[in-house]
Amino acid sequence: MVDHSSPPRPPLSTASLIIRLASIGVVVAVVAGAFAYVNGSLDPQRLRPKTLVNALETNNGLHPGYRRNHAKGVCVAGYFESSPEARQYSSAQVFSEARTPVIGRFALPSGNPYAPDSSVPIRSFALQFSLANGQQWRTGMNSMPVFPVGTPEAFFAMLKAGAPDPATGKPNPAGMPAFFAAHPETAPFLAWVKTAKPSASYATETYNGINAFYLVNASGQRQAVRWGVVPQSQDAAGATAPAGSDFLEKDLVQRLTAGPLRWQLNVTLANPGDPVDDASKTWTGEHKVLNAGTLVLESSQPQMDGDCRDINFDPLVLPSGIEASNDPLLAARSAAYASSYLRRTSEVSQLHSAPQESKP
């Protein structure tokens, strides 16, 4: 339920921001993935998927059967209605068919399935489009507009900076400030977090793909893009997230009971010179934005037994007509998601023995 009586929260100071990030692990739990493949096999001199997934378990605690990141979530289902605007740029069937079935998942960026909904300002949204020709398009989006860092190595360093000290069980308070000082590329992300407030509803968030991809048309022409979805629902002026643990899923169920929820899929075309392979950099200035269609959600399911539970939302599962950029975080996410998927699917029998209520 949206609380309209609470006054807007003031933006955090830079010092408070750093303390907040260090204490609740917002930054280090944003995305589970930071690895690179070389010629189809892992380079022994580089990070391995299990190394990072182990680090996520160390930072967040081990919760068998759950995703190692974005652990707390809810399944949704609906469909995508395409518009003509993207068809000249991509031969993907999702943009030519009138309607494509969709399974999705809203979640919090944390490896703790019992984290309070108000503990982080970021929400995530993953989707699987099942095309009529048997192909799939999977994508993961977040409410933040930019990723903190641009390389797997920097992300792993950020994880280590936020790791708990074995002696105290808490992160070193100097760790994250030192990391940010050594990585000026985090400035755009920190600027966003400084004013970001936890939203009162999954339904009123804009979700951004962050990484760049290429749309490819029938003639083989490639256009670099970033995509995101913009909600038709809006929070009332001044609405803030209520205190509590599980308001997001309850709000979503209530809204869907009243009727479908809709988002517009916007595809932003890169301009010449835009950074295509670095998710930590914003695209500035005016850009052409395509209205690629409307995402319609009709129902939700608890993630414990929902249709989204066993989906690995690998960002490199792409249909013909959409191709990955050379952003190193894409291969990294794909590898780490696979490692996490293998672990949690082998632990599914333990899910129903876990406590269901939220914990701090």
Side-chain angles (χ1 to χ4, degrees):
M1 185 70 66
V2 178
D3 181 1
H4 300 290
S5 61
S6 300
R9 300 176 185 177
L12 296 172
S13 67
T14 300
S16 297
L17 168 66
I18 292 175
I19 293 172
R20 174 181 177 182
L21 293 177
S23 63
I24 67 175
V26 171
V27 173
V28 298
V30 169
V31 171
F35 292 96
Y37 278 102
V38 178
N39 296 326
S41 61
L42 285 170
D43 182 343
Q45 301 303 315
R46 296 195 177 195
L47 300 170
R48 294 179 180 272
K50 67 177 183 180
T51 305
L52 182 68
V53 177
N54 287 344
L56 288 167
E57 292 178 356
T58 297
N59 287 16
N60 297 312
L62 177 59
H63 303 280
Y66 289 94
R67 298 169 197 262
R68 272 29 183 193
N69 198 11
H70 303 270
K72 184 179 184 180
V74 57
C75 299
V76 290
Y79 57 90
F80 175 71
E81 291 182 327
S82 67
S83 77
E85 292 191 24
R87 294 173 190 171
Q88 65 174 304
Y89 296 95
S90 174
S91 61
Q93 193 178 59
V94 68
F95 299 126
S96 59
E97 289 289 319
R99 181 175 290 194
T100 300
V102 169
I103 295 173
R105 183 175 183 270
F106 291 107
L108 296 182
S110 168
N112 179 5
Y114 311 112
D117 290 352
S118 57
S119 63
V120 292
I122 302 168
R123 282 75 172 96
S124 69
F125 190 16
L127 293 169
Q128 175 182 278
F129 299 77
S130 296
L131 284 58
N133 61 8
Q135 297 181 356
Q136 291 184 346
W137 174 22
R138 301 182 192 176
T139 182
M141 298 172 285
N142 289 278
S143 57
M144 60 190 185
V146 67
F147 198 75
V149 294
T151 68
E153 293 77 14
F155 180 72
F156 187 64
M158 188 165 59
L159 265 183
K160 292 193 294 183
D165 185 329
T168 65
K170 298 179 180 180
N172 180 347
M176 293 306 293
F179 173 83
F180 293 139
H183 290 269
E185 74 273 22
T186 60
F189 176 77
L190 291 177
W192 174 80
V193 174
K194 188 174 181 179
T195 58
K197 296 181 293 184
S199 64
S201 176
Y202 283 133
T204 59
E205 279 283 10
T206 293
Y207 298 93
N208 304 293
I210 300 177
N211 303 102
F213 292 80
Y214 287 96
L215 298 186
V216 185
N217 65 17
S219 300
Q221 295 175 312
R222 302 168 83 234
Q223 169 65 54
V225 300
R226 285 176 174 171
W227 55 65
V229 292
V230 179
Q232 290 188 4
S233 302
Q234 298 293 329
D235 275 334
T240 58
S245 297
D246 302 308
F247 59 85
L248 286 171
E249 183 170 351
K250 294 175 183 177
D251 171 84
L252 181 68
V253 171
Q254 184 178 37
R255 288 174 185 259
L256 286 170
T257 299
L261 298 172
R262 291 176 168 82
W263 284 257
Q264 179 174 301
L265 175 61
N266 286 343
V267 177
T268 301
L269 307 188
N271 290 332
D274 279 339
V276 175
D277 302 333
D278 189 340
S280 70
K281 297 184 182 300
T282 58
W283 291 357
T284 59
E286 293 187 5
H287 287 74
K288 183 173 183 177
V289 179
L290 309 177
N291 172 6
T294 302
L295 173 68
V296 182
L297 297 184
E298 299 178 294
S299 63
S300 68
Q301 298 172 306
Q303 70 169 356
M304 198 69 67
D305 296 301
D307 292 336
C308 75
R309 187 193 69 183
D310 297 331
I311 296 176
N312 172 13
F313 290 100
D314 183 339
L316 294 185
V317 175
L318 301 167
S320 299
I322 304 177
E323 296 179 355
S325 68
N326 289 325
D327 185 336
L329 290 177
L330 286 172
R333 289 171 60 191
S334 179
Y337 286 11
S339 179
S340 172
Y341 180 80
L342 290 174
R343 295 190 192 193
R344 67 182 178 84
T345 52
S346 70
E347 303 161 348
V348 167
S349 62
Q350 301 180 54
L351 278 172
H352 291 282
S353 62
Q356 300 301 302
E357 74 278 2
S358 291
K359 299 178 180 179

